């Protein structure tokens, strides 16, 4: 694994660990931060895979656009598109007034992120 890829993986793992730690909090607004960190974890793992493949990528939070680049080397990942569409919403929206993640959303995002994380980690092994 390239050194730059390892850095992306380390950052992704930090976001995943932060989400797991924060989800223990019963405070309503901690769910927003949990969802943000889950989105960030997936974003950084996608960027790690792109980095490893030598595919340049823009500095964006749009997981669908990043996935479109990744499917050129991982075509089966096209099946992840619905999850990416959902996760992308949590990069910005929940960090501002007017939108709060529900407990159901947070649990759903954790399941999706855990699955995506496992898939990408296998491709980097």
């Amino acid at each position: 694994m390239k050194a730059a890829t390892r850095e992306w993986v380390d950052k992704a793992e930090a976001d995943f660990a932060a989400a797991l730690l924060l989800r223990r909090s019963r405070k309503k607004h901690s769910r927003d931060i949990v969802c943000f960190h889950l989105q960030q974890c997936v974003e950084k793992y996608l960027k790690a895979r792109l980095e490893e493949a030598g595919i340049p990528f823009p500095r964006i939070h749009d997981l669908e656009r990043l996935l479109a680049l990744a499917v050129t080397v991982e075509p089966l990942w096209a099946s992840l598109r619905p999850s990416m569409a959902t996760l992308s919403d949590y990069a910005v929206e929940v960090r501002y007034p007017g939108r709060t993640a529900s407990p159901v959303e947070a649990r759903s995002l954790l399941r999706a992120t855990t699955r995506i994380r496992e898939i990408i980690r296998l491709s980097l092994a």
Side-chain angles (χ1 to χ4, degrees), residues 53-64:
I55 298 171
F57 51 88
R59 293 182 67 138
I60 58 171
H61 300 297
D62 185 336
L63 301 182
E64 290 177 280

Side-chain angles (χ1 to χ4, degrees), residues 6-100:
R6 170 57 49 203
E7 287 184 60
W8 281 110
V9 168
D10 290 346
K11 296 282 187 183
E13 283 299 299
D15 278 310
F16 192 69
L20 294 179
L21 184 66
L22 289 165
R23 82 183 246 270
R24 293 186 186 122
S25 173
R26 298 280 185 228
K27 294 183 179 175
K28 176 180 165 184
H29 294 291
S30 67
R31 290 189 306 267
D32 296 349
I33 300 167
V34 167
C35 292
F36 168 73
H37 281 292
L38 292 171
Q39 184 281 337
Q40 286 291 289
C41 173
V42 171
E43 178 182 326
K44 290 168 186 165
Y45 263 117
L46 282 171
K47 290 177 177 178
R49 183 63 185 98
L50 293 169
E51 178 69 37
E52 190 67 11
I55 298 171
F57 51 88
R59 293 182 67 138
I60 58 171
H61 300 297
D62 185 336
L63 301 182
E64 290 177 280
R65 284 183 57 199
L66 293 170
L67 180 65
L69 295 171
V71 296
T72 63
V73 291
E74 299 286 354
L76 296 178
W77 289 7
S79 66
L80 300 175
R81 193 164 282 114
S83 294
M84 297 299 175
T86 301
L87 277 158
S88 281
D89 291 341
Y90 296 89
V92 178
E93 286 186 25
V94 295
R95 294 177 25 210
Y96 294 97
R99 176 78 166 88
T100 300

